[in-house]
Every structure is written in structure tokens, then in C-alpha cells.
Amino acid sequence: MKLINKATGVIVLGALLTVALAGCQSSDATSPATGQNTANEQSKGEGATNANAPASESSEEKGTEAIKEGSMEKEGNVVLKELAFVYNEHTIAISDTANEDQMEQMLGKPDNLKSHTYSADDGTNMDTLIGFTEKVYTYPGLEIKTISIPEGKQDSIFHIEITDPKYATARNIKAGDSLDTLKNAYPEGKLLGDGAPDEEDDFRYEPSNYVDVMSFHIKDAKVESIQIYSLLD
């Protein structure tokens, strides 16, 4: 009887060991697959990150890229946001449309406002502008001229003259700044005369279209006035 009990015990123990070994083999067999799947997922994740990285860098570069002169067009003409001045967070540029209400919102009520519609007998001899209406807005240290094309088109700015230092250009140059400061801000510009410090001269910043111009009048090596204008046909 004791021998039968011992034999039964050995058989049960053997069965338990067999089940345990089978479990270990099953675990060992699935472990590499699990590890491989995890690596594949990590690899996919890394691949997605790397694939997105250049696009992100490209997006950042594109976002910080400066708009170059002549790269944008507006109503058939080159828009140069450089040819502008800033006042109370408003940037006012040549070729911008601006009616009386808009001008008052940006700059306040003008000290004087003149309006003239060109005609054949007005004595100005401006035949090319017959039918056009010119308006002149005068503020202390600032004068802005607009022109409206016949057939109901909006007024657009074509001439700005600045003598007050509270109106700075898009590159932060204002009346009273030194000639050296001006040259550093506008290295593309040039003096039209000899440019001697004790003489008057004009420093011109002229883009490649030869139509829109920014001119700084220099006196005693300082900016006395700034003119921004577009030549009318």
C-alpha cells in the first residue's frame, strides 16, 4: 500500500513539473515576439518624429523669412511695406487705401484737409490726372496726399512727408537721427551729393521698381525730413 502511495506521489509530482516546464517554454517563446513588437512600435514612433522634424524646421524657417522687396503685388504695382511709417501701432504705407474716416482713426483729425479734382482748365497742366481727386491731409509735422482714380475706386496714399520725430519709418528712423544711424538702418541707400557733414544732401532709398522712393533730407549730418512717395503716371 505504501509503495502504491509513493508511486502515485511520483506521478503527480512529474505531472506538475511537466506543466511548469511547458509554461516556461511558452513564456520564452512569446517574449521575443513581444520585445520585437515593442521595438517596432518604438521604431515607428522614432520614424514619425524624424519625418516630422524637417517639416517643422521648414515651417519655422518659412515663418521667420522676411518678405523681400518686390515679392508681393497689389493692384498691379509692387507693394513695399518698407516704404511706410509707424504711429500708435498703425503702419501706414505707400499705396495703402485710406479714406477720410480711416485717416482720422489712425492719425486723428487733421489740422487741414484740402481736396482737388483735376480738370482740363484748372491751370495745373496735369492732363494725365484729369478726373482724379487729390486730397492733402495736414498734421503737425506730417503731410499725407491721397489720390482717387475715377470710376469710384478708393483713395490711395501716394505721398508722405515727415518732419516730426514721433513718426518713425518701418526701420525706426525719424527726423533728428544722425546720418550714421540712417546709413546703418538703410545700407541699400545712397547719398546723392558729396554728403559732407556740414552740407545739405539727400539720402535716397530706392527699390528696384524705380517708382516708389524714400528720400531723407540731410542737414548738419542729421535727418531733417523724410519723404516717401510714388511717382504718378
Side-chain angles (χ1 to χ4, degrees), residues 114-155:
K114 293 181 180 179
S115 179
H116 174 74
T117 300
Y118 289 95
S119 62
D121 57 354
D122 63 2
T124 62
N125 295 321
M126 300 291 287
D127 293 343
T128 58
L129 297 179
I130 292 176
F132 288 56
T133 299
E134 178 183 312
K135 294 179 183 177
V136 182
Y137 298 81
T138 303
Y139 299 86
L142 174 67
E143 183 181 87
I144 297 178
K145 295 180 180 181
T146 65
I147 194 84
S148 65
I149 301 173
E151 301 176 359
K153 291 192 177 181
Q154 289 183 308
D155 299 352

mmCIF file of all heavy atoms in Angstrom, residues 114-155:
data_model
loop_
_atom_site.group_PDB
_atom_site.id
_atom_site.type_symbol
_atom_site.label_atom_id
_atom_site.label_comp_id
_atom_site.label_asym_id
_atom_site.label_seq_id
_atom_site.Cartn_x
_atom_site.Cartn_y
_atom_site.Cartn_z
ATOM 1 N N LYS A 114 -7.474 119.387 -47.668
ATOM 2 C CA LYS A 114 -7.782 120.003 -48.960
ATOM 3 C C LYS A 114 -8.122 118.912 -49.964
ATOM 4 O O LYS A 114 -7.560 117.811 -49.928
ATOM 5 C CB LYS A 114 -6.585 120.809 -49.478
ATOM 6 C CG LYS A 114 -6.252 122.041 -48.640
ATOM 7 C CD LYS A 114 -5.066 122.778 -49.258
ATOM 8 C CE LYS A 114 -4.696 124.018 -48.461
ATOM 9 N NZ LYS A 114 -3.514 124.726 -49.043
ATOM 10 N N SER A 115 -9.027 119.226 -50.874
ATOM 11 C CA SER A 115 -9.419 118.285 -51.908
ATOM 12 C C SER A 115 -9.472 119.003 -53.252
ATOM 13 O O SER A 115 -9.962 120.131 -53.348
ATOM 14 C CB SER A 115 -10.788 117.674 -51.570
ATOM 15 O OG SER A 115 -11.189 116.771 -52.567
ATOM 16 N N HIS A 116 -8.935 118.356 -54.284
ATOM 17 C CA HIS A 116 -8.939 118.967 -55.616
ATOM 18 C C HIS A 116 -9.123 117.888 -56.670
ATOM 19 O O HIS A 116 -8.412 116.874 -56.667
ATOM 20 C CB HIS A 116 -7.625 119.705 -55.872
ATOM 21 C CG HIS A 116 -7.506 120.231 -57.268
ATOM 22 N ND1 HIS A 116 -8.215 121.335 -57.708
ATOM 23 C CD2 HIS A 116 -6.767 119.803 -58.341
ATOM 24 C CE1 HIS A 116 -7.913 121.568 -58.961
ATOM 25 N NE2 HIS A 116 -7.043 120.656 -59.381
ATOM 26 N N THR A 117 -10.084 118.082 -57.556
ATOM 27 C CA THR A 117 -10.289 117.180 -58.688
ATOM 28 C C THR A 117 -9.696 117.825 -59.928
ATOM 29 O O THR A 117 -10.066 118.943 -60.310
ATOM 30 C CB THR A 117 -11.785 116.895 -58.904
ATOM 31 O OG1 THR A 117 -12.325 116.278 -57.723
ATOM 32 C CG2 THR A 117 -11.990 115.959 -60.087
ATOM 33 N N TYR A 118 -8.765 117.148 -60.562
ATOM 34 C CA TYR A 118 -8.072 117.708 -61.720
ATOM 35 C C TYR A 118 -9.009 117.798 -62.933
ATOM 36 O O TYR A 118 -9.803 116.897 -63.194
ATOM 37 C CB TYR A 118 -6.856 116.842 -62.070
ATOM 38 C CG TYR A 118 -5.736 116.953 -61.066
ATOM 39 C CD1 TYR A 118 -5.626 116.032 -60.024
ATOM 40 C CD2 TYR A 118 -4.801 117.980 -61.143
ATOM 41 C CE1 TYR A 118 -4.604 116.128 -59.088
ATOM 42 C CE2 TYR A 118 -3.775 118.080 -60.209
ATOM 43 C CZ TYR A 118 -3.679 117.157 -59.190
ATOM 44 O OH TYR A 118 -2.673 117.262 -58.262
ATOM 45 N N SER A 119 -8.879 118.900 -63.643
ATOM 46 C CA SER A 119 -9.678 119.111 -64.850
ATOM 47 C C SER A 119 -8.802 119.780 -65.916
ATOM 48 O O SER A 119 -7.689 120.239 -65.628
ATOM 49 C CB SER A 119 -10.899 119.993 -64.548
ATOM 50 O OG SER A 119 -10.499 121.277 -64.115
ATOM 51 N N ALA A 120 -9.298 119.846 -67.096
ATOM 52 C CA ALA A 120 -8.511 120.401 -68.205
ATOM 53 C C ALA A 120 -8.246 121.888 -68.039
ATOM 54 O O ALA A 120 -7.255 122.415 -68.560
ATOM 55 C CB ALA A 120 -9.222 120.137 -69.527
ATOM 56 N N ASP A 121 -9.107 122.605 -67.330
ATOM 57 C CA ASP A 121 -8.962 124.059 -67.204
ATOM 58 C C ASP A 121 -8.618 124.509 -65.789
ATOM 59 O O ASP A 121 -8.892 125.642 -65.416
ATOM 60 C CB ASP A 121 -10.250 124.749 -67.658
ATOM 61 C CG ASP A 121 -11.464 124.263 -66.871
ATOM 62 O OD1 ASP A 121 -11.311 123.318 -66.065
ATOM 63 O OD2 ASP A 121 -12.559 124.832 -67.061
ATOM 64 N N ASP A 122 -7.990 123.635 -64.993
ATOM 65 C CA ASP A 122 -7.677 124.035 -63.614
ATOM 66 C C ASP A 122 -6.321 124.718 -63.485
ATOM 67 O O ASP A 122 -5.914 125.132 -62.397
ATOM 68 C CB ASP A 122 -7.747 122.830 -62.667
ATOM 69 C CG ASP A 122 -6.708 121.760 -63.007
ATOM 70 O OD1 ASP A 122 -5.905 121.962 -63.938
ATOM 71 O OD2 ASP A 122 -6.728 120.696 -62.347
ATOM 72 N N GLY A 123 -5.586 124.862 -64.598
ATOM 73 C CA GLY A 123 -4.316 125.581 -64.576
ATOM 74 C C GLY A 123 -3.138 124.770 -64.084
ATOM 75 O O GLY A 123 -2.023 125.310 -63.975
ATOM 76 N N THR A 124 -3.321 123.485 -63.778
ATOM 77 C CA THR A 124 -2.215 122.668 -63.262
ATOM 78 C C THR A 124 -1.433 121.963 -64.368
ATOM 79 O O THR A 124 -0.315 121.487 -64.135
ATOM 80 C CB THR A 124 -2.740 121.601 -62.284
ATOM 81 O OG1 THR A 124 -3.639 120.725 -62.979
ATOM 82 C CG2 THR A 124 -3.457 122.235 -61.105
ATOM 83 N N ASN A 125 -2.004 121.909 -65.570
ATOM 84 C CA ASN A 125 -1.368 121.222 -66.690
ATOM 85 C C ASN A 125 -1.069 119.748 -66.389
ATOM 86 O O ASN A 125 -0.043 119.208 -66.815
ATOM 87 C CB ASN A 125 -0.072 121.931 -67.108
ATOM 88 C CG ASN A 125 -0.337 123.312 -67.662
ATOM 89 O OD1 ASN A 125 -1.320 123.531 -68.387
ATOM 90 N ND2 ASN A 125 0.524 124.269 -67.318
ATOM 91 N N MET A 126 -1.944 119.125 -65.610
ATOM 92 C CA MET A 126 -1.790 117.709 -65.280
ATOM 93 C C MET A 126 -2.833 116.905 -66.051
ATOM 94 O O MET A 126 -3.788 116.363 -65.495
ATOM 95 C CB MET A 126 -1.955 117.503 -63.772
ATOM 96 C CG MET A 126 -0.949 118.257 -62.922
ATOM 97 S SD MET A 126 0.743 117.609 -63.100
ATOM 98 C CE MET A 126 0.593 116.084 -62.189
ATOM 99 N N ASP A 127 -2.633 116.862 -67.369
ATOM 100 C CA ASP A 127 -3.614 116.208 -68.232
ATOM 101 C C ASP A 127 -3.781 114.720 -67.907
ATOM 102 O O ASP A 127 -4.868 114.160 -68.082
ATOM 103 C CB ASP A 127 -3.216 116.364 -69.702
ATOM 104 C CG ASP A 127 -3.307 117.822 -70.149
ATOM 105 O OD1 ASP A 127 -3.962 118.613 -69.449
ATOM 106 O OD2 ASP A 127 -2.718 118.157 -71.202
ATOM 107 N N THR A 128 -2.704 114.088 -67.468
ATOM 108 C CA THR A 128 -2.787 112.646 -67.183
ATOM 109 C C THR A 128 -3.636 112.353 -65.951
ATOM 110 O O THR A 128 -4.026 111.204 -65.728
ATOM 111 C CB THR A 128 -1.376 112.058 -66.963
ATOM 112 O OG1 THR A 128 -0.729 112.753 -65.890
ATOM 113 C CG2 THR A 128 -0.543 112.168 -68.225
ATOM 114 N N LEU A 129 -3.912 113.402 -65.148
ATOM 115 C CA LEU A 129 -4.690 113.196 -63.916
ATOM 116 C C LEU A 129 -6.108 113.770 -64.007
ATOM 117 O O LEU A 129 -6.782 113.875 -62.982
ATOM 118 C CB LEU A 129 -3.963 113.829 -62.723
ATOM 119 C CG LEU A 129 -2.586 113.249 -62.367
ATOM 120 C CD1 LEU A 129 -1.989 113.986 -61.183
ATOM 121 C CD2 LEU A 129 -2.685 111.759 -62.083
ATOM 122 N N ILE A 130 -6.535 114.133 -65.186
ATOM 123 C CA ILE A 130 -7.886 114.687 -65.338
ATOM 124 C C ILE A 130 -8.921 113.675 -64.837
ATOM 125 O O ILE A 130 -8.905 112.506 -65.234
ATOM 126 C CB ILE A 130 -8.161 115.074 -66.803
ATOM 127 C CG1 ILE A 130 -7.288 116.273 -67.209
ATOM 128 C CG2 ILE A 130 -9.631 115.397 -67.026
ATOM 129 C CD1 ILE A 130 -7.412 116.669 -68.670
ATOM 130 N N GLY A 131 -9.772 114.142 -63.940
ATOM 131 C CA GLY A 131 -10.776 113.274 -63.345
ATOM 132 C C GLY A 131 -10.353 112.653 -62.029
ATOM 133 O O GLY A 131 -11.189 112.140 -61.286
ATOM 134 N N PHE A 132 -9.069 112.713 -61.705
ATOM 135 C CA PHE A 132 -8.569 112.183 -60.430
ATOM 136 C C PHE A 132 -8.804 113.224 -59.331
ATOM 137 O O PHE A 132 -8.680 114.427 -59.581
ATOM 138 C CB PHE A 132 -7.072 111.876 -60.514
ATOM 139 C CG PHE A 132 -6.727 110.672 -61.347
ATOM 140 C CD1 PHE A 132 -7.122 110.565 -62.673
ATOM 141 C CD2 PHE A 132 -5.990 109.637 -60.806
ATOM 142 C CE1 PHE A 132 -6.805 109.462 -63.439
ATOM 143 C CE2 PHE A 132 -5.653 108.526 -61.565
ATOM 144 C CZ PHE A 132 -6.064 108.441 -62.882
ATOM 145 N N THR A 133 -9.053 112.757 -58.121
ATOM 146 C CA THR A 133 -9.223 113.664 -56.978
ATOM 147 C C THR A 133 -8.079 113.470 -55.992
ATOM 148 O O THR A 133 -7.846 112.358 -55.501
ATOM 149 C CB THR A 133 -10.562 113.426 -56.270
ATOM 150 O OG1 THR A 133 -11.636 113.668 -57.189
ATOM 151 C CG2 THR A 133 -10.717 114.350 -55.071
ATOM 152 N N GLU A 134 -7.373 114.556 -55.721
ATOM 153 C CA GLU A 134 -6.265 114.523 -54.765
ATOM 154 C C GLU A 134 -6.714 115.161 -53.450
ATOM 155 O O GLU A 134 -7.362 116.206 -53.453
ATOM 156 C CB GLU A 134 -5.065 115.287 -55.326
ATOM 157 C CG GLU A 134 -3.872 115.347 -54.375
ATOM 158 C CD GLU A 134 -2.727 116.166 -54.944
ATOM 159 O OE1 GLU A 134 -2.372 115.946 -56.131
ATOM 160 O OE2 GLU A 134 -2.219 117.049 -54.218
ATOM 161 N N LYS A 135 -6.353 114.512 -52.339
ATOM 162 C CA LYS A 135 -6.628 115.062 -51.011
ATOM 163 C C LYS A 135 -5.316 115.210 -50.252
ATOM 164 O O LYS A 135 -4.438 114.348 -50.341
ATOM 165 C CB LYS A 135 -7.584 114.151 -50.235
ATOM 166 C CG LYS A 135 -8.982 114.065 -50.834
ATOM 167 C CD LYS A 135 -9.865 113.123 -50.036
ATOM 168 C CE LYS A 135 -11.252 112.997 -50.685
ATOM 169 N NZ LYS A 135 -12.110 112.018 -49.960
ATOM 170 N N VAL A 136 -5.210 116.310 -49.507
ATOM 171 C CA VAL A 136 -3.999 116.576 -48.726
ATOM 172 C C VAL A 136 -4.403 116.697 -47.261
ATOM 173 O O VAL A 136 -5.148 117.596 -46.872
ATOM 174 C CB VAL A 136 -3.299 117.868 -49.192
ATOM 175 C CG1 VAL A 136 -2.018 118.084 -48.392
ATOM 176 C CG2 VAL A 136 -2.995 117.809 -50.687
ATOM 177 N N TYR A 137 -3.873 115.758 -46.448
ATOM 178 C CA TYR A 137 -4.132 115.756 -45.009
ATOM 179 C C TYR A 137 -2.916 116.353 -44.307
ATOM 180 O O TYR A 137 -1.792 115.856 -44.479
ATOM 181 C CB TYR A 137 -4.345 114.339 -44.492
ATOM 182 C CG TYR A 137 -5.536 113.615 -45.092
ATOM 183 C CD1 TYR A 137 -5.449 113.002 -46.346
ATOM 184 C CD2 TYR A 137 -6.741 113.524 -44.402
ATOM 185 C CE1 TYR A 137 -6.529 112.321 -46.888
ATOM 186 C CE2 TYR A 137 -7.831 112.836 -44.937
ATOM 187 C CZ TYR A 137 -7.712 112.244 -46.184
ATOM 188 O OH TYR A 137 -8.785 111.562 -46.716
ATOM 189 N N THR A 138 -3.147 117.423 -43.537
ATOM 190 C CA THR A 138 -2.036 118.091 -42.866
ATOM 191 C C THR A 138 -2.155 117.938 -41.354
ATOM 192 O O THR A 138 -3.178 118.283 -40.749
ATOM 193 C CB THR A 138 -1.989 119.583 -43.215
ATOM 194 O OG1 THR A 138 -1.908 119.729 -44.642
ATOM 195 C CG2 THR A 138 -0.782 120.258 -42.578
ATOM 196 N N TYR A 139 -1.088 117.393 -40.752
ATOM 197 C CA TYR A 139 -0.958 117.255 -39.300
ATOM 198 C C TYR A 139 0.330 117.970 -38.885
ATOM 199 O O TYR A 139 1.190 118.233 -39.731
ATOM 200 C CB TYR A 139 -0.862 115.785 -38.903
ATOM 201 C CG TYR A 139 -2.055 114.940 -39.273
ATOM 202 C CD1 TYR A 139 -2.146 114.349 -40.538
ATOM 203 C CD2 TYR A 139 -3.097 114.719 -38.371
ATOM 204 C CE1 TYR A 139 -3.230 113.564 -40.892
ATOM 205 C CE2 TYR A 139 -4.192 113.929 -38.711
ATOM 206 C CZ TYR A 139 -4.253 113.359 -39.970
ATOM 207 O OH TYR A 139 -5.335 112.580 -40.312
ATOM 208 N N PRO A 140 0.506 118.275 -37.602
ATOM 209 C CA PRO A 140 1.778 118.859 -37.174
ATOM 210 C C PRO A 140 2.944 117.917 -37.490
ATOM 211 O O PRO A 140 3.000 116.799 -36.988
ATOM 212 C CB PRO A 140 1.597 119.018 -35.654
ATOM 213 C CG PRO A 140 0.120 119.103 -35.448
ATOM 214 C CD PRO A 140 -0.472 118.196 -36.489
ATOM 215 N N GLY A 141 3.822 118.355 -38.352
ATOM 216 C CA GLY A 141 4.986 117.539 -38.701
ATOM 217 C C GLY A 141 4.706 116.396 -39.651
ATOM 218 O O GLY A 141 5.565 115.524 -39.841
ATOM 219 N N LEU A 142 3.524 116.383 -40.283
ATOM 220 C CA LEU A 142 3.184 115.285 -41.188
ATOM 221 C C LEU A 142 2.194 115.760 -42.256
ATOM 222 O O LEU A 142 1.226 116.456 -41.952
ATOM 223 C CB LEU A 142 2.554 114.130 -40.395
ATOM 224 C CG LEU A 142 1.995 112.952 -41.205
ATOM 225 C CD1 LEU A 142 3.124 112.186 -41.904
ATOM 226 C CD2 LEU A 142 1.200 112.016 -40.304
ATOM 227 N N GLU A 143 2.457 115.385 -43.484
ATOM 228 C CA GLU A 143 1.528 115.665 -44.584
ATOM 229 C C GLU A 143 1.369 114.402 -45.425
ATOM 230 O O GLU A 143 2.354 113.774 -45.814
ATOM 231 C CB GLU A 143 2.035 116.808 -45.460
ATOM 232 C CG GLU A 143 1.069 117.191 -46.582
ATOM 233 C CD GLU A 143 1.605 118.318 -47.441
ATOM 234 O OE1 GLU A 143 2.343 118.016 -48.415
ATOM 235 O OE2 GLU A 143 1.297 119.497 -47.145
ATOM 236 N N ILE A 144 0.116 114.039 -45.694
ATOM 237 C CA ILE A 144 -0.175 112.844 -46.484
ATOM 238 C C ILE A 144 -1.083 113.225 -47.644
ATOM 239 O O ILE A 144 -2.089 113.911 -47.458
ATOM 240 C CB ILE A 144 -0.853 111.757 -45.623
ATOM 241 C CG1 ILE A 144 0.097 111.290 -44.511
ATOM 242 C CG2 ILE A 144 -1.256 110.563 -46.496
ATOM 243 C CD1 ILE A 144 -0.501 110.250 -43.591
ATOM 244 N N LYS A 145 -0.704 112.766 -48.839
ATOM 245 C CA LYS A 145 -1.523 113.008 -50.021
ATOM 246 C C LYS A 145 -2.091 111.690 -50.532
ATOM 247 O O LYS A 145 -1.384 110.678 -50.604
ATOM 248 C CB LYS A 145 -0.692 113.673 -51.126
ATOM 249 C CG LYS A 145 -0.185 115.061 -50.775
ATOM 250 C CD LYS A 145 0.632 115.650 -51.923
ATOM 251 C CE LYS A 145 1.151 117.036 -51.582
ATOM 252 N NZ LYS A 145 1.936 117.633 -52.694
ATOM 253 N N THR A 146 -3.378 111.734 -50.886
ATOM 254 C CA THR A 146 -4.016 110.566 -51.486
ATOM 255 C C THR A 146 -4.566 110.944 -52.854
ATOM 256 O O THR A 146 -4.781 112.126 -53.145
ATOM 257 C CB THR A 146 -5.167 110.035 -50.612
ATOM 258 O OG1 THR A 146 -6.219 111.019 -50.560
ATOM 259 C CG2 THR A 146 -4.692 109.726 -49.200
ATOM 260 N N ILE A 147 -4.780 109.926 -53.664
ATOM 261 C CA ILE A 147 -5.345 110.145 -54.994
ATOM 262 C C ILE A 147 -6.431 109.102 -55.240
ATOM 263 O O ILE A 147 -6.270 107.941 -54.867
ATOM 264 C CB ILE A 147 -4.253 110.065 -56.091
ATOM 265 C CG1 ILE A 147 -4.750 110.623 -57.420
ATOM 266 C CG2 ILE A 147 -3.708 108.679 -56.247
ATOM 267 C CD1 ILE A 147 -4.620 112.117 -57.548
ATOM 268 N N SER A 148 -7.537 109.529 -55.792
ATOM 269 C CA SER A 148 -8.593 108.576 -56.120
ATOM 270 C C SER A 148 -8.767 108.520 -57.628
ATOM 271 O O SER A 148 -8.843 109.548 -58.300
ATOM 272 C CB SER A 148 -9.919 108.966 -55.463
ATOM 273 O OG SER A 148 -10.400 110.185 -55.984
ATOM 274 N N ILE A 149 -8.801 107.307 -58.141
ATOM 275 C CA ILE A 149 -8.956 107.106 -59.580
ATOM 276 C C ILE A 149 -10.435 107.225 -59.930
ATOM 277 O O ILE A 149 -11.290 106.839 -59.144
ATOM 278 C CB ILE A 149 -8.411 105.721 -59.967
ATOM 279 C CG1 ILE A 149 -6.939 105.632 -59.571
ATOM 280 C CG2 ILE A 149 -8.562 105.436 -61.449
ATOM 281 C CD1 ILE A 149 -6.333 104.268 -59.734
ATOM 282 N N PRO A 150 -10.745 107.776 -61.070
ATOM 283 C CA PRO A 150 -12.160 107.870 -61.475
ATOM 284 C C PRO A 150 -12.849 106.508 -61.465
ATOM 285 O O PRO A 150 -12.205 105.478 -61.366
ATOM 286 C CB PRO A 150 -12.078 108.444 -62.890
ATOM 287 C CG PRO A 150 -10.766 109.144 -62.945
ATOM 288 C CD PRO A 150 -9.844 108.363 -62.072
ATOM 289 N N GLU A 151 -14.130 106.528 -61.598
ATOM 290 C CA GLU A 151 -14.968 105.330 -61.611
ATOM 291 C C GLU A 151 -15.085 104.712 -60.229
ATOM 292 O O GLU A 151 -15.230 103.501 -60.071
ATOM 293 C CB GLU A 151 -14.437 104.288 -62.615
ATOM 294 C CG GLU A 151 -14.383 104.812 -64.042
ATOM 295 C CD GLU A 151 -13.765 103.816 -64.997
ATOM 296 O OE1 GLU A 151 -13.355 102.727 -64.551
ATOM 297 O OE2 GLU A 151 -13.683 104.137 -66.194
ATOM 298 N N GLY A 152 -15.012 105.565 -59.200
ATOM 299 C CA GLY A 152 -15.350 105.138 -57.853
ATOM 300 C C GLY A 152 -14.323 104.319 -57.105
ATOM 301 O O GLY A 152 -14.625 103.733 -56.074
ATOM 302 N N LYS A 153 -13.084 104.257 -57.595
ATOM 303 C CA LYS A 153 -12.072 103.499 -56.870
ATOM 304 C C LYS A 153 -11.626 104.258 -55.626
ATOM 305 O O LYS A 153 -11.696 105.477 -55.559
ATOM 306 C CB LYS A 153 -10.880 103.195 -57.776
ATOM 307 C CG LYS A 153 -11.217 102.201 -58.883
ATOM 308 C CD LYS A 153 -9.972 101.693 -59.571
ATOM 309 C CE LYS A 153 -10.326 100.650 -60.614
ATOM 310 N NZ LYS A 153 -9.127 100.115 -61.287
ATOM 311 N N GLN A 154 -11.126 103.497 -54.628
ATOM 312 C CA GLN A 154 -10.777 104.091 -53.341
ATOM 313 C C GLN A 154 -9.548 104.997 -53.417
ATOM 314 O O GLN A 154 -8.705 104.850 -54.302
ATOM 315 C CB GLN A 154 -10.525 102.986 -52.311
ATOM 316 C CG GLN A 154 -11.774 102.245 -51.871
ATOM 317 C CD GLN A 154 -11.449 101.227 -50.805
ATOM 318 O OE1 GLN A 154 -10.555 100.409 -50.967
ATOM 319 N NE2 GLN A 154 -12.166 101.268 -49.701
ATOM 320 N N ASP A 155 -9.475 105.916 -52.430
ATOM 321 C CA ASP A 155 -8.288 106.765 -52.319
ATOM 322 C C ASP A 155 -7.088 105.897 -51.924
ATOM 323 O O ASP A 155 -7.209 104.995 -51.095
ATOM 324 C CB ASP A 155 -8.495 107.838 -51.240
ATOM 325 C CG ASP A 155 -9.664 108.758 -51.558
ATOM 326 O OD1 ASP A 155 -10.201 108.660 -52.664
ATOM 327 O OD2 ASP A 155 -10.032 109.579 -50.693
#
